[in-house]
């Protein structure tokens, strides 16, 4: 199992970040990393607030938010009038869940790749309504046709009131054919929520073309925005049904203003988001995607070879910049065990990774971003087998 050739670095890209040089940060997918220029743009906004808070919040803030929303929506191919800036994908998912009417005989359908917090939100919403959550199993490496077939077979017309599906799953780094899945659900008038937390900035997307009822993606993972920036896109039939998590002064304006205007919430991450997109375009988005995908594939191969992994799951899209390496049997089989192993790797090797428990097995998730270098994965591959051997003793 030979590793592909790693990509050449993008000149100057590593200097754009303030990451600790003593740590190999191979986990961009969890919380992102904000370029220095974007940090400074956000700090200027904070300084503006503190120079005159009343002026900032009462003179033109709404127009600035609308301008930002339109900028972000255009980047994602979403209707700006049906989009709202929210804190993160989980917030958007909760808003969508609370907009769907549920009764005791109803159900929400998930896949076993769903993000943990979204699954928790679905269970809470169903518990309050007396409804149920049901999960459809999708094997690692399943083809698009198999995914659509399994989900189609799991739908229960009249009972399934919402289908939640990832566009790119977090724990397993698999892409799903969300446009085809949405079409299958709509044959039975079943609404669809697409959790696209990792998509903005990583993968090209045309949100409107997916035709989902709800779509939500984070800008603070792969689009270089400050944390706390995501976009929720809602199809026209649902916009009047959207209720914000907290009622504020713009409640009567309806969606999206009722969701976006939440008093003294910190709006600086949103207003600095266009600077993140500018940074991405300045580096060359095509070049960034190609670099990150190739480097993630390289990292998966060298680490997988070091661990003698028999199979390395493919993500389903060559541009995905997160890859999975199955861990040896018996390691990180539960979420607490996965968290403990991730922390141990961080403490002993000064390497930040993601470790997830999925389907009773441990999965190591490696990310690649423009600040990473092939030698970081090489060193990790050299040291990880011995660490795991000692950890199991």
């Amino acid at each position: 199992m030979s590793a592909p050739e790693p990509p050449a670095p993008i000149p100057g890209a590593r200097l754009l970040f303030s990451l600790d040089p003593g740590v190999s940060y191979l986990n961009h997918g969890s919380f992102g990393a904000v370029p220095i220029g974007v940090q400074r743009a956000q700090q200027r906004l904070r300084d503006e607030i503190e120079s005159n808070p009343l002026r900032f919040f009462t003179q033109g803030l709404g127009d600035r938010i609308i301008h930002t929303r339109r900028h972000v929506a255009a980047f994602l191919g979403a209707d700006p009038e049906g989009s709202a800036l929210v804190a993160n994908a989980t917030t958007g998912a909760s808003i969508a869940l609370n907009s769907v009417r549920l009764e005791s005989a109803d159900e929400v359908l998930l896949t076993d790749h769903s993000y943990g917090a979204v699954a928790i939100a679905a269970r809470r919403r169903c518990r309050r309504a007396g409804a149920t959550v049901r999960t459809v199993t999708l094997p690692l490496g399943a083809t698009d046709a198999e995914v659509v077939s399994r989900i189609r077979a799991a739908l229960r017309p009249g009972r399934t009131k919402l289908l939640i599906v990832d566009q790119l799953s977090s724990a397993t780094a698999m892409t799903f054919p969300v446009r085809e899945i949405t079409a299958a659900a709509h044959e039975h008038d079943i609404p669809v929520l697409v959790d696209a937390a990792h998509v903005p900035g990583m993968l090209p997307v045309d949100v409107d073309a997916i035709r989902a009822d709800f779509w939500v993606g984070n800008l603070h993972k792969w689009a270089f925005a400050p944390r706390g920036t995501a976009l929720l896109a809602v199809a026209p039939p649902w916009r009047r049904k959207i209720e914000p998590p907290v009622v504020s002064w713009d409640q009567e304006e309806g969606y999206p203003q009722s969701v976006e205007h939440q008093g003294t919430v910190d709006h600086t991450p949103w207003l600095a988001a266009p600077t993140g997109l500018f940074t991405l375009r300045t580096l060359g988005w095509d070049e960034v995607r190609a670099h990150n995908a190739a480097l993630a594939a390289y990292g998966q191969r060298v680490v997988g070879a070091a661990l003698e992994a028999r199979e390395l799951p493919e993500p389903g899209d060559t541009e995905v910049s997160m890859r999975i390496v199955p861990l040896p049997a018996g390691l990180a089989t539960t979420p607490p065990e996965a968290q403990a192993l991730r922390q141990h790797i961080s403490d002993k090797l000064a390497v930040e990774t993601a470790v997830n428990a999925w389907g009773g097995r441990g999965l190591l998730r490696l990310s690649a971003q423009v600040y990473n270098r092939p030698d970081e994965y090489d060193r990790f591959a050299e040291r990880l087998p011995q660490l795991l051997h000692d950890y199991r003793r």
Side-chain angles (χ1 to χ4, degrees):
M1 183 170 51
S2 61
E5 285 296 316
I10 295 177
R14 192 166 191 169
L15 300 176
L16 298 177
F17 297 85
S18 54
L19 291 164
D20 183 349
V23 175
S24 290
Y25 201 79
L26 310 182
N27 190 18
H28 188 89
S30 284
F31 299 104
V34 183
I36 295 170
V38 182
Q39 295 178 40
R40 290 173 176 169
Q42 185 181 16
Q43 187 56 53
R44 286 193 295 271
L45 289 162
R46 290 176 175 141
D47 293 342
E48 180 185 348
I49 294 173
E50 299 312 325
S51 69
N52 192 328
L54 184 66
R55 177 182 297 167
F56 180 88
F57 283 102
T58 62
Q59 296 185 25
L61 177 59
D63 290 339
R64 294 169 78 172
I65 292 174
I66 291 171
H67 173 77
T68 299
R69 184 213 311 150
R70 288 175 176 168
H71 190 105
V72 171
F75 175 72
L76 298 172
D79 176 7
E81 303 308 312
S83 302
L85 294 165
V86 293
N88 51 44
T90 306
T91 298
S94 292
I95 291 172
L97 278 161
N98 289 331
S99 302
V100 176
R101 183 177 178 180
L102 293 174
E103 297 179 350
S104 59
D106 298 333
E107 68 176 24
V108 172
L109 183 63
L110 308 175
T111 80
D112 58 345
H113 297 257
S114 292
Y115 185 61
V118 172
I120 291 171
R123 289 195 292 269
R124 185 183 72 166
R125 175 73 179 92
C126 287
R127 184 170 60 249
R128 290 177 172 179
T132 59
V133 171
R134 194 160 54 87
T135 302
V136 55
T137 299
L138 302 173
L140 275 177
T143 65
D144 286 355
E146 184 177 2
V147 168
V148 174
S149 176
R150 283 182 176 238
I151 291 178
R152 188 191 297 274
L155 298 172
R156 294 177 178 175
R159 292 192 60 184
T160 306
K161 298 302 182 182
L162 181 66
L163 167 64
I164 302 177
V165 63
D166 293 77
Q167 189 165 351
L168 171 59
S169 59
S170 178
T172 56
M174 272 184 64
T175 57
F176 294 94
V178 290
R179 186 171 181 174
E180 292 78 5
I181 292 169
T182 298
H186 283 178
E187 291 174 5
H188 305 289
D189 296 322
I190 296 171
V192 178
L193 163 61
V194 173
D195 180 355
H198 287 273
V199 170
M202 185 199 293
L203 300 175
V205 62
D206 184 346
V207 171
D208 285 350
I210 296 170
R211 304 183 68 83
D213 302 87
F214 312 96
W215 182 101
V216 62
N218 291 323
L219 277 293
H220 55 247
K221 288 184 180 288
W222 299 93
F224 294 155
R227 291 166 204 90
T229 308
L231 191 81
L232 170 66
V234 178
W238 291 94
R239 293 172 189 174
R240 291 188 177 183
K241 301 177 183 180
I242 295 294
E243 291 291 345
V246 178
V247 172
S248 192
W249 286 102
D250 280 342
Q251 173 69 13
E252 301 306 317
E253 296 297 322
Y255 180 84
Q257 286 91 334
S258 61
V259 169
E260 293 175 331
H261 292 215
Q262 297 291 313
T264 53
V265 71
D266 184 5
H267 298 92
T268 63
W270 299 355
L271 299 182
T275 306
L277 295 180
F278 175 80
T279 304
L280 190 60
R281 291 188 176 106
T282 300
L283 288 170
W285 192 30
D286 290 342
E287 291 79 4
V288 168
R289 295 202 313 272
H291 170 275
N292 292 350
L295 187 56
Y298 175 81
Q300 181 191 42
R301 290 291 178 180
V302 297
V303 175
L307 297 184
E308 299 179 351
R310 294 183 178 180
E311 294 183 4
L312 295 177
E314 293 291 333
D317 189 314
T318 58
E319 291 191 316
V320 171
S321 47
M322 300 190 302
R323 294 289 184 120
I324 297 299
V325 177
L327 291 168
L331 280 174
T333 59
T334 67
E337 290 175 0
Q339 172 64 15
L341 179 57
R342 185 207 63 78
Q343 188 63 53
H344 187 71
I345 292 171
S346 175
D347 292 342
K348 298 299 183 181
L349 301 184
V351 176
E352 298 296 354
T353 63
V355 179
N356 295 295
W358 183 83
R361 62 195 298 189
L363 299 177
L364 177 72
R365 192 190 72 194
L366 299 172
S367 297
Q369 188 48 273
V370 294
Y371 50 75
N372 293 126
R373 295 290 184 270
D375 63 276
E376 294 180 285
Y377 303 90
D378 294 336
R379 290 196 303 270
F380 187 43
E382 290 172 2
R383 302 171 66 192
L384 182 61
Q386 186 63 50
L387 177 138
L388 297 180
H389 177 268
D390 294 343
Y391 187 76
R392 301 180 70 170
R393 294 175 63 182

